[in-house]
Amino acid sequence: MSAVLADDGKASYQMLLGEHRVDMAALMGKHLRFEYVGEIFCQHCQRRTKKSFSGGFCFPCSQKLAQCDLCFMKPETCHFEQGTCREPDWGQAVCMQPHVVYLANSSGLKVGITRTGQIPTRWIDQGATQALPIFMVQSRQQSGLVETVYKQHVSDRTDWRKMLKAQAEPLDLAGLRDQLFAETLHEIKALQERFGEQSIKALKAETVTEIVYPVLQYPDKVKSLSFDKTSQLEGELLGIKGQYLILDTGVINIRKFTGYHVKMEFAA
């Protein structure tokens, strides 16, 4: 499932079914039926696998791909410069590129990182209703180090259940940015001295991005639905937020089932 942000701030989703893309906004309020046909394919090598590892890979790929390494989840531990990256070309193209450190509001205030080309996709994936870039850095490792400093003051995680139960209360992200700039001044200066001031730039003039999701109704209680527990799931589509489909029977994390062969049916 892919998403884009329209000029009016509304998130628009499409589902890839075979060779066709379906506009999910047109399915709001309709009854959907999903059937997992029992096949999982690695998103890298396309090999059929009995179980998905590291978010959509077969076991061999999960063991050899750099994107499945622990340092990709904890970028402050990047070892590219030590010459031990599993895939140096991939690391150069992905990790050794400009990244943004940002504040977002999904289930409350959080700090996060992403490549510049992933804005605003990353924010939509997390279900953020507000987001604000606060640093531009020159590598993924540097973004992870800045994020580590900020994690001492704000969370780096989204409470997905809270995010799916209601619209987050608006926050003054610009004011919180300025407050955090002051609180982290010495730690950030130390990183700038280590990597060079031009490598870690504070962004003081960025504007807040506001995101509106296609949600008809939020659930009173969040119930997670899983293709690992049952092959057939169905319900009325009440909304989409982050990578979750909100049905009247529960919520489905589409990202979690990357590589699963699933059929979707809906009434015309």
Side-chain angles (χ1 to χ4, degrees):
M1 186 165 63
S2 61
V4 296
L5 188 64
D7 292 338
D8 60 1
K10 293 182 179 179
S12 176
Y13 289 87
Q14 290 187 330
M15 183 81 79
L16 181 62
L17 297 176
E19 298 179 354
H20 304 283
R21 290 189 176 274
V22 177
D23 179 11
M24 297 301 290
L27 301 183
M28 287 296 166
K30 293 184 180 294
H31 189 88
L32 306 185
R33 181 177 181 275
F34 301 89
E35 180 182 0
Y36 165 49
V37 301
E39 295 180 328
I40 306 174
F41 296 93
C42 174
Q43 62 175 311
H44 178 73
C45 71
Q46 303 304 313
R47 176 186 301 158
R48 184 173 176 176
T49 176
K50 293 182 179 180
K51 184 178 179 181
S52 177
F53 297 87
S54 301
F57 300 94
C58 64
F59 183 74
C61 285
S62 73
Q63 297 300 296
K64 70 180 182 180
L65 295 177
Q67 60 190 297
C68 298
D69 203 345
L70 180 62
C71 61
F72 196 67
M73 297 299 296
K74 295 184 176 181
E76 65 274 14
T77 65
C78 174
H79 46 93
F80 182 89
E81 292 185 353
Q82 300 173 26
T84 54
C85 181
R86 296 181 183 182
E87 299 176 276
D89 290 343
W90 184 90
Q92 185 67 52
V94 176
C95 299
M96 306 305 290
Q97 298 297 322
H99 279 62
V100 166
V101 181
Y102 62 85
L103 294 177
N105 180 17
S106 50
S107 58
L109 183 65
K110 74 176 293 290
V111 62
I113 65 174
T114 190
R115 296 194 303 277
T116 55
Q118 288 297 102
I119 293 175
T121 303
R122 179 62 173 164
W123 300 338
I124 297 174
D125 282 351
Q126 294 182 337
T129 52
Q130 297 173 287
L132 176 66
I134 59 173
F135 283 97
M136 175 70 73
V137 302
Q138 295 305 304
S139 72
R140 187 172 179 82
Q141 181 195 34
Q142 292 169 8
S143 70
L145 290 169
V146 173
E147 183 184 42
T148 298
V149 170
Y150 271 67
K151 284 193 294 187
Q152 300 175 45
H153 302 270
V154 298
S155 175
D156 65 330
R157 299 184 181 277
T158 297
D159 183 337
W160 65 273
R161 291 183 180 276
K162 184 177 179 181
M163 180 268 289
L164 290 173
K165 288 186 70 173
Q167 181 86 351
E169 289 293 327
L171 296 174
D172 178 9
L173 291 188
L176 290 166
R177 171 202 61 199
D178 294 342
Q179 177 184 328
L180 288 164
F181 276 170
E183 292 176 352
T184 62
L185 178 63
H186 297 298
E187 294 94 331
I188 296 301
K189 277 189 173 296
L191 290 175
Q192 290 174 329
E193 290 174 0
R194 175 180 171 184
F195 294 102
E197 191 169 345
Q198 295 304 309
S199 294
I200 300 176
K201 296 181 180 179
L203 302 175
K204 301 178 180 179
E206 295 293 315
T207 57
V208 176
T209 295
E210 307 274 351
I211 303 174
V212 178
Y213 295 88
V215 178
L216 301 178
Q217 179 182 330
Y218 285 102
D220 294 327
K221 183 178 181 181
V222 176
K223 175 186 177 183
S224 181
L225 304 176
S226 173
F227 292 113
D228 292 330
K229 295 180 179 179
T230 179
S231 61
Q232 296 184 359
L233 301 172
E234 58 184 299
E236 181 183 343
L237 181 62
L238 299 179
I240 310 176
K241 194 174 185 184
Q243 283 291 316
Y244 288 85
L245 298 182
I246 303 173
L247 307 178
D248 62 350
T249 54
V251 301
I252 306 173
N253 183 347
I254 296 297
R255 175 67 56 78
K256 180 179 179 180
F257 300 106
T258 298
Y260 283 57
H261 186 181
V262 176
K263 295 180 179 180
M264 184 178 79
E265 299 176 354
F266 53 89

